[in-house]
Amino acid sequence: MNKHTPQSEFVTPEVTTGPLPASRKVYVKSDRFEDVAAPVRYISVHETANEPDLPVYDPTGPYTEEGFVADVEKGLERKRTAWVKERGNVEEYDGREVKPEDNGGATGKYLARQFPTHHKPLRGTGSEPITQLEFARAGIITKEMEYIAIRENMGRKAALEEARKNIDEGESFGAELPEFVTAEFVRDEIARGRAVIPANINHPEAEPMIIGRNFLVKINANIGNSAVTSSVEEEVDKMVWATRWGADTVMDLSTGRNIHNTREWIIRNSPVPIGTVPIYQALEKVGGVAEDLTWEVYRDTLIEQCEQGVDYFTVHAGVRLPFIHLTADRVTGIVSRGGSIMAKWCLAHHKESFLYTKFEEICEIMRAYDVTFSLGDGLRPGSTADANDRAQFAELETLGELTKIAWKHGVQVMIEGPGHVAMHKIKANMDKQLKVCGEAPFYTLGPLTTDIAPGYDHITSGIGAAMIGWFGTAMLCYVTPKEHLGLPNRDDVKVGVITYKLAAHAADLAKGHPAARLRDDALSRARFEFRWEDQFNLGLDPETARDFHDETLPKEAHKTA
Amino acid sequence: MNKHTPQSEFVTPEVTTGPLPASRKVYVKSDRFEDVAAPVRYISVHETANEPDLPVYDPTGPYTEEGFVADVEKGLERKRTAWVKERGNVEEYDGREVKPEDNGGATGKYLARQFPTHHKPLRGTGSEPITQLEFARAGIITKEMEYIAIRENMGRKAALEEARKNIDEGESFGAELPEFVTAEFVRDEIARGRAVIPANINHPEAEPMIIGRNFLVKINANIGNSAVTSSVEEEVDKMVWATRWGADTVMDLSTGRNIHNTREWIIRNSPVPIGTVPIYQALEKVGGVAEDLTWEVYRDTLIEQCEQGVDYFTVHAGVRLPFIHLTADRVTGIVSRGGSIMAKWCLAHHKESFLYTKFEEICEIMRAYDVTFSLGDGLRPGSTADANDRAQFAELETLGELTKIAWKHGVQVMIEGPGHVAMHKIKANMDKQLKVCGEAPFYTLGPLTTDIAPGYDHITSGIGAAMIGWFGTAMLCYVTPKEHLGLPNRDDVKVGVITYKLAAHAADLAKGHPAARLRDDALSRARFEFRWEDQFNLGLDPETARDFHDETLPKEAHKTA
């Protein structure tokens, strides 16, 4: 924890590297573009099985390459900058100066030291395509789209004859899973707004990935320090740790001081898209007083974060003044942090939220960097009692309107969803979201299916997450065992990630994803043949599986085929 | 663990006693019978909340009474013996002598010492009602039924005006949840075979409870020592520990030596029904060689266990010879231990299983003690690949036939279900079970919704359990984090129980159980008002919630209203 090292002198964050057990990373080359190669992890099994290595989707970045040495002070390679520049319509510029309030006024030993290298930001210019959505609409397959097509296929090539059968045996509730993912399919889904590629042009360290219901279900892990605990080192470590176990995106929800500098360290070292809730930082800039927020402060914060390379922003633009009174009779009122900040502002000024009134300006800013909207559900239910009420659905309908405006501006959009919802009310959320938001990807927190298990909300919500993922949600925001109770530590992050990976995978299986069951079947065969090592290695968490086994049967002899 | 104390001299098992936090146990008296009073746990909240204490269902037995001192060498009070005797149609007799093979031939220091007191067994005589099913059909409300009506209602009396609304807002898939549970309703459900009261007349220490889809969803915890690890002390402790956190029944799946004596200690101290798989012990008696099993050995084992007081038996009578070849092309063949024992026997002798051919004799034996059938699914899928296949459903259809035979004999029946089933194939299991088994209660293991997460199978299965509970399953058999990997320890038992309690509760909520949401709402109010202590105490696991909170915010000041 290094509680006694001043933030101004913290040591280089240590991150976990090295291949996962029995795994090797292969970069599969594109036939279309010479400089595109997407990662696939291959898990090998015991030779007695006589089976090919199993390919699995790999969001872990270079950290799991054999022999990779992380240089956290330098950050990851910025491979994608060349792709952005060669497409044109962007300019490099000096960018905004970092201001003291960006770090909450921290000074001296309390100010976290800056990331050593400053990269000049890029921004889009003119009306020619900048965003993935604009390229897709123009019929252009970007390198990001090609990259995604390769990585989404995993073992599908090997199992192509089974693909149609698996799709037909699944129940996808109207999703249109392809037998094989082509770059053209990716382009088409992006053009239709049914999927997003969160890829800020200033986050070239990230590996392109896609969020949409006709692709693998993705998961997000939240990290972030607070005024009370944790440090830059811990958060960088948690980010890498989360991706090691399978987080597809990471949200940095830091509050308190040092938000700017913490984020810079995270982004420069992140192989996955980073999301934020800009209103959190804007609030810090006005001393935590919601009423003092202004459009100008918020706008400045957006630009700050666009230049840093944040890939998607949660914007609670659907919390409209006329909806706030709809929460009056709720058991748990407004529980979204962003939602309650904006509700407070609206009520104090008795004005419509500036996130709503300035929405087109927000779109223009985000377009210039290809930052994706994650339209926030500020009125999401904080208890099963409040699920699917008028406040929640009024906001969702507004998010539908805003989606169309963002699309008009060429900005990619996903929609955030609840929250706390008992099982019988989950599907209505998905159905309504698909209907009112034009099939923009749904990105849900849980939902938690009961309120009575604090300490186990990764599970109460894992149930809801698996179900809503099956119904069509494209990305599941994890919940850790510490939900409602405290900040997740490293172990909590891992448990949250694994829980959501299994929920996402259960959803893929039920939808009939053509390649999902390859891993289940390989593991089941290993299990049936008592190939213990293979059972561990094919699982989501080989370390825990092995430890649990060894508690009962520690001998090596119990583990081989 | 006392690994160095010989089993012949083990010290008195220590069990956890004392009220749960902020809780008091109240025995609610019957208006109908003077000697019937059923437990309800009341959880109190901070006075600022100005709310009445919250009633919750309480399967914990006297161990959680204020000031209760457990005398494990003596066992719990045998209250129900008087009820059984006063109804008549039973006789006390000397019972079967304990034989060396009952304890796997353990001798000397390896033989676990006997439970100190021997109680003469009771058995039914003649054709007048003995079982709860027979009494129910005869229109007689037993004291057990009255007891159950009281405890199932929990807070329903207080919330009666809400009851209809909650039921209507739920989706119960054809279940018929009553607004208020009367003893007559209990009787009627039992008479129709839609619910069971597992209550061997020789287990008078147990508190009557009911398993049926129009009642609260129940959970079972498996315990049991093995040839490799654990001891009598540990298993008695685990049993009490499991009920403390909410296990409604406990299955003793012990193998190896000392099965008889271990079971005696467990039953004599158990406030919940105990289930077993008698073929496990029968197999030990023939030296572990499945082919050497005989009807006579099995029959003798049944009587042994009936006399001890086992409340329900898993009987794999649906594993018929002609079904075995249906598993040939499976990924994981036959994974049920009982199923594979019987399949081996059938194939070795090329004969129909004696569990099937002697089924009516089994019924006669079980009737005499009112032991409930849990018709085992010996051909359940051991991987999602094998779910819902012909082998599984052929067996289920046979279980439907056997249900009718058992009912003809006046024996109560529930049906065991899978296993490993991806989400989209779960509902078909419930629908088919309801159809072919005449609405006899379904009792499922999980199902696990993916195979790829060893170490987290309490969660992969908790997802399936919540869903199938919602669809109509009456009891959920827990899965611990050690599933597929090793034997659960005390901590694993707790995690398994809490996971399944929350799954069962999520199912109750979704079904529209009239009183389920009272607890969610009370906890949500506490959460919204930052009444931390109340949030902990109203949760399923106050200790863990408190510990998690204190890791981040240890100060007392952070916990009060």
Side-chain angles (χ1 to χ4, degrees):
Chain A
M1 302 271 278
N2 303 314
K3 284 289 176 222
H4 302 295
T5 310
Q7 279 288 286
S8 56
E9 295 168 29
F10 67 77
V11 296
T12 302
E14 278 180 41
V15 297
T16 308
T17 60
L20 288 159
S23 296
R24 66 193 160 90
K25 189 192 286 280
V26 172
Y27 289 95
V28 180
K29 284 192 178 163
S30 159
D31 297 329
R32 190 189 300 257
F33 299 112
E34 208 158 277
D35 58 345
V36 173
V40 177
R41 174 160 73 101
Y42 280 89
I43 307 172
S44 66
V45 295
H46 195 270
E47 56 184 10
T48 55
N50 198 21
E51 288 181 19
D53 295 353
L54 182 87
V56 299
Y57 188 92
D58 183 2
T60 60
Y63 297 105
T64 55
E65 285 174 12
E66 182 73 49
F68 180 79
V69 180
D71 185 349
V72 176
E73 299 280 337
K74 199 173 149 228
L76 295 176
E77 254 191 273
R78 293 166 64 81
K79 288 188 190 166
R80 211 168 55 85
T81 297
W83 302 359
V84 172
K85 285 186 173 169
E86 75 191 11
R87 284 197 291 259
N89 316 329
V90 296
E91 62 178 8
E92 206 170 80
Y93 68 112
D94 278 340
R96 180 183 167 283
E97 291 258 311
V98 179
K99 303 172 190 172
E101 62 261 36
D102 299 352
N103 285 302
T107 54
K109 67 177 183 176
Y110 299 108
L111 177 63
R113 67 183 170 89
Q114 283 194 344
F115 186 75
T117 319
H118 175 70
H119 301 285
K120 280 194 177 185
L122 295 170
R123 73 178 158 208
T125 56
S127 60
E128 291 301 299
I130 302 162
T131 70
Q132 297 289 329
L133 175 56
E134 290 171 325
F135 284 112
R137 283 179 182 158
I140 295 166
I141 290 174
T142 62
K143 289 182 175 174
E144 288 84 348
M145 296 173 196
E146 169 74 0
Y147 188 101
I148 284 161
I150 298 170
R151 79 189 308 193
E152 284 280 331
N153 275 319
M154 304 188 312
R156 233 182 293 208
K157 214 162 198 168
L160 208 52
E161 41 207 87
E162 296 281 311
R164 189 72 255 159
K165 195 170 137 263
N166 290 341
I167 293 171
D168 291 344
E169 280 186 10
E171 166 56 83
S172 73
F173 300 102
E176 295 174 27
L177 299 171
E179 289 172 48
F180 193 76
V181 181
T182 63
E184 173 55 26
F185 179 80
V186 174
R187 188 204 61 73
D188 188 57
E189 290 288 301
I190 297 293
R192 293 167 71 161
R194 297 210 296 200
V196 296
I197 300 174
N200 185 324
I201 56 176
N202 291 314
H203 187 197
E205 298 90 349
E207 299 176 341
M209 55 80 69
I210 196 163
I211 301 166
R213 88 174 152 132
N214 293 322
F215 300 92
L216 288 161
V217 176
K218 303 302 188 298
I219 71 160
N220 171 69
N222 293 332
I223 61 166
N225 59 14
S226 78
V228 189
T229 63
S230 79
S231 62
V232 173
E233 305 98 287
E234 281 176 82
E235 298 313 310
V236 172
D237 170 46
K238 272 190 210 165
M239 177 275 294
V240 175
W241 185 241
T243 63
R244 183 173 183 82
W245 299 110
D248 295 291
T249 77
V250 167
M251 287 193 82
D252 174 13
L253 303 183
S254 292
T255 57
R257 290 167 171 179
N258 289 317
I259 292 185
H260 181 97
N261 286 2
T262 303
R263 188 168 52 227
E264 187 73 22
W265 284 90
I266 290 171
I267 294 174
R268 297 286 75 83
N269 287 287
S270 175
V272 300
I274 297 294
T276 63
V277 188
I279 201 81
Y280 290 3
Q281 189 181 9
L283 186 70
E284 299 290 343
K285 291 182 183 177
V286 296
V289 182
E291 298 86 318
D292 292 350
L293 281 165
T294 62
W295 161 241
E296 289 69 27
V297 169
Y298 186 76
R299 183 179 178 283
D300 186 52
T301 306
L302 288 185
I303 292 169
E304 172 189 350
Q305 299 197 15
C306 285
E307 291 180 351
Q308 280 189 294
V310 174
D311 299 285
Y312 62 90
F313 288 155
T314 295
V315 181
H316 296 96
V319 181
R320 295 194 54 191
L321 179 62
F323 302 159
I324 297 169
H325 79 276
L326 297 174
T327 65
D329 292 333
R330 280 181 159 188
V331 171
T332 49
I334 300 176
V335 298
S336 148
R337 184 155 189 266
S340 52
I341 292 166
M342 290 319 299
K344 208 178 267 183
W345 188 92
C346 292
L347 292 176
H349 297 278
H350 203 74
K351 264 193 194 166
E352 191 61 273
S353 152
F354 56 78
L355 300 180
Y356 184 78
T357 58
K358 302 287 187 185
F359 192 73
E360 304 220 35
E361 281 184 62
I362 297 172
C363 291
E364 283 167 23
I365 295 166
M366 289 170 65
R367 172 180 176 267
Y369 304 87
D370 198 4
V371 176
T372 299
F373 270 112
S374 184
L375 291 174
D377 55 337
L379 302 181
R380 70 166 178 265
S383 56
T384 51
D386 296 340
N388 297 17
D389 71 355
R390 187 63 209 132
Q392 186 197 332
F393 282 160
E395 181 184 34
L396 183 56
E397 286 157 20
T398 302
L399 299 186
E401 293 165 27
L402 297 172
T403 298
K404 284 167 196 85
I405 295 170
W407 282 346
K408 190 184 72 187
H409 286 272
V411 182
Q412 304 186 86
V413 183
M414 56 185 173
I415 308 289
E416 293 185 12
H420 293 238
V421 186
M423 283 189 286
H424 63 305
K425 294 188 176 179
I426 292 176
K427 192 151 187 302
N429 280 274
M430 189 71 233
D431 293 345
K432 188 171 178 77
Q433 190 274 342
L434 284 172
K435 191 169 156 234
V436 303
C437 298
E439 297 193 80
F442 206 20
Y443 166 32
T444 63
L445 178 75
L448 286 73
T449 53
T450 163
D451 307 311
I452 69 166
Y456 299 79
D457 279 331
H458 58 307
I459 307 180
T460 65
S461 69
I463 294 167
M467 291 174 70
I468 205 162
W470 175 27
F471 299 151
T473 290
M475 185 157 77
L476 308 170
C477 181
Y478 86 171
V479 170
T480 76
K482 290 278 169 62
E483 183 75 13
H484 299 118
L485 299 170
L487 279 185
N489 61 25
R490 207 168 187 270
D491 291 340
D492 298 319
V493 165
K494 182 175 173 184
V495 170
V497 167
I498 301 283
T499 301
Y500 272 65
K501 285 305 270 190
L502 72 85
H505 187 79
D508 286 331
L509 268 187
K511 285 168 81 176
H513 187 287
R517 61 174 285 189
L518 295 177
R519 189 170 184 175
D520 295 81
D521 294 355
L523 196 146
S524 297
R525 287 190 296 270
R527 186 171 276 160
F528 195 61
E529 292 163 12
F530 293 98
R531 285 184 274 117
W532 285 103
E533 289 289 347
D534 292 350
Q535 188 188 158
F536 306 151
N537 296 337
L538 291 164
L540 291 176
D541 180 359
E543 293 172 5
T544 298
R546 185 188 316 270
D547 289 350
F548 282 2
H549 177 270
D550 288 1
E551 274 182 41
T552 309
L553 296 167
K555 294 199 191 110
E556 273 310 304
H558 288 118
K559 273 182 298 209
T560 43
Chain B
M1 302 270 278
N2 302 316
K3 284 289 176 221
H4 303 295
T5 310
Q7 280 287 287
S8 57
E9 293 168 29
F10 67 77
V11 296
T12 302
E14 279 182 40
V15 297
T16 308
T17 60
L20 288 159
S23 296
R24 67 193 160 88
K25 189 192 286 280
V26 173
Y27 289 95
V28 180
K29 284 192 178 163
S30 158
D31 297 330
R32 190 188 298 257
F33 300 111
E34 208 159 279
D35 57 346
V36 173
V40 178
R41 173 159 74 101
Y42 280 90
I43 307 172
S44 67
V45 294
H46 195 270
E47 57 184 10
T48 54
N50 198 23
E51 289 180 18
D53 295 352
L54 182 87
V56 298
Y57 188 92
D58 183 1
T60 60
Y63 297 105
T64 56
E65 284 173 12
E66 181 74 51
F68 180 79
V69 179
D71 185 348
V72 177
E73 299 279 339
K74 199 173 149 228
L76 295 175
E77 255 190 89
R78 294 167 62 83
K79 287 188 189 165
R80 211 167 55 84
T81 298
W83 302 0
V84 172
K85 285 186 173 168
E86 76 192 10
R87 285 196 292 258
N89 315 330
V90 295
E91 62 177 7
E92 206 170 80
Y93 69 112
D94 278 340
R96 182 184 166 283
E97 292 257 312
V98 179
K99 303 174 190 171
E101 61 261 37
D102 298 352
N103 286 301
T107 54
K109 67 177 183 175
Y110 300 107
L111 177 63
R113 67 183 170 88
Q114 282 195 346
F115 186 75
T117 318
H118 175 71
H119 301 285
K120 281 194 177 186
L122 295 171
R123 72 178 160 207
T125 55
S127 60
E128 291 301 301
I130 301 163
T131 71
Q132 296 290 329
L133 175 56
E134 290 172 325
F135 284 112
R137 283 179 182 157
I140 295 165
I141 290 174
T142 62
K143 289 182 175 174
E144 288 84 348
M145 297 172 196
E146 169 73 0
Y147 188 101
I148 284 161
I150 298 170
R151 77 188 310 193
E152 284 279 332
N153 275 319
M154 302 186 315
R156 234 182 292 209
K157 213 162 199 167
L160 209 51
E161 40 208 86
E162 296 282 311
R164 190 72 253 160
K165 193 170 138 265
N166 291 341
I167 294 170
D168 291 343
E169 280 186 10
E171 167 56 82
S172 72
F173 299 103
E176 295 174 27
L177 299 171
E179 290 172 48
F180 193 77
V181 181
T182 62
E184 173 55 26
F185 179 79
V186 174
R187 188 204 60 73
D188 189 55
E189 290 289 301
I190 296 293
R192 293 168 70 161
R194 298 211 295 201
V196 296
I197 300 173
N200 185 323
I201 57 176
N202 291 314
H203 187 196
E205 298 89 351
E207 298 176 342
M209 55 79 69
I210 196 163
I211 300 166
R213 86 174 154 134
N214 293 322
F215 300 92
L216 288 160
V217 175
K218 303 303 189 298
I219 71 161
N220 171 69
N222 293 333
I223 61 166
N225 58 13
S226 78
V228 189
T229 64
S230 81
S231 61
V232 173
E233 305 99 286
E234 281 176 81
E235 299 312 311
V236 172
D237 170 45
K238 273 191 210 163
M239 177 276 292
V240 176
W241 184 241
T243 62
R244 182 173 184 84
W245 299 110
D248 295 291
T249 77
V250 167
M251 287 194 80
D252 173 13
L253 303 183
S254 292
T255 57
R257 291 169 171 177
N258 291 317
I259 292 185
H260 181 98
N261 286 2
T262 303
R263 188 168 52 228
E264 187 74 22
W265 283 91
I266 291 172
I267 294 173
R268 298 285 75 84
N269 286 286
S270 175
V272 300
I274 298 293
T276 63
V277 188
I279 201 81
Y280 289 4
Q281 189 180 11
L283 185 70
E284 300 288 345
K285 291 182 182 176
V286 295
V289 182
E291 298 85 317
D292 292 351
L293 281 166
T294 62
W295 160 242
E296 288 69 29
V297 169
Y298 186 76
R299 183 179 179 283
D300 186 52
T301 305
L302 287 184
I303 292 169
E304 171 188 351
Q305 298 197 15
C306 284
E307 291 180 351
Q308 280 190 293
V310 174
D311 299 285
Y312 62 91
F313 288 154
T314 295
V315 180
H316 297 95
V319 181
R320 294 194 54 192
L321 179 61
F323 301 158
I324 296 170
H325 78 275
L326 298 173
T327 65
D329 292 332
R330 280 181 159 189
V331 171
T332 48
I334 300 175
V335 298
S336 148
R337 185 157 188 265
S340 51
I341 294 166
M342 290 318 299
K344 207 177 267 181
W345 188 92
C346 291
L347 292 176
H349 297 278
H350 203 73
K351 263 194 195 165
E352 191 62 274
S353 152
F354 55 80
L355 300 179
Y356 184 79
T357 57
K358 301 287 188 184
F359 191 73
E360 303 220 36
E361 280 184 65
I362 296 172
C363 290
E364 282 166 24
I365 294 166
M366 288 170 66
R367 171 180 177 266
Y369 304 88
D370 197 4
V371 176
T372 298
F373 270 112
S374 184
L375 291 174
D377 53 339
L379 303 181
R380 69 166 179 266
S383 55
T384 51
D386 296 340
N388 296 17
D389 71 353
R390 188 62 209 131
Q392 186 197 332
F393 282 161
E395 181 184 34
L396 183 56
E397 287 156 20
T398 302
L399 300 185
E401 293 165 29
L402 297 173
T403 299
K404 284 168 195 83
I405 295 170
W407 282 347
K408 189 186 73 185
H409 286 272
V411 182
Q412 305 186 87
V413 183
M414 56 186 173
I415 309 289
E416 294 185 11
H420 293 238
V421 187
M423 283 190 286
H424 63 306
K425 294 188 175 178
I426 292 176
K427 191 152 188 300
N429 279 275
M430 189 70 232
D431 293 345
K432 187 170 178 78
Q433 190 274 341
L434 283 172
K435 191 171 156 234
V436 304
C437 298
E439 298 193 80
F442 205 20
Y443 166 31
T444 64
L445 177 74
L448 287 73
T449 53
T450 163
D451 307 310
I452 69 166
Y456 299 80
D457 279 331
H458 58 306
I459 307 179
T460 65
S461 69
I463 294 166
M467 291 175 71
I468 206 162
W470 175 26
F471 300 151
T473 290
M475 185 157 77
L476 308 170
C477 181
Y478 88 171
V479 170
T480 77
K482 291 277 169 62
E483 183 75 12
H484 298 119
L485 299 169
L487 279 184
N489 62 26
R490 207 168 188 269
D491 292 339
D492 298 319
V493 166
K494 182 175 174 185
V495 170
V497 167
I498 301 283
T499 300
Y500 272 67
K501 284 306 269 191
L502 72 85
H505 187 79
D508 286 332
L509 268 187
K511 286 169 81 175
H513 186 286
R517 61 173 284 188
L518 294 177
R519 190 169 184 176
D520 295 82
D521 294 355
L523 195 146
S524 296
R525 287 190 297 270
R527 184 171 277 161
F528 195 61
E529 293 164 11
F530 293 98
R531 286 185 274 115
W532 286 103
E533 289 289 348
D534 293 350
Q535 189 189 156
F536 306 150
N537 295 338
L538 291 164
L540 291 176
D541 180 0
E543 292 172 5
T544 297
R546 186 187 316 270
D547 289 348
F548 282 1
H549 177 269
D550 289 0
E551 275 181 39
T552 309
L553 297 166
K555 293 199 191 111
E556 272 311 304
H558 288 119
K559 275 184 298 210
T560 43

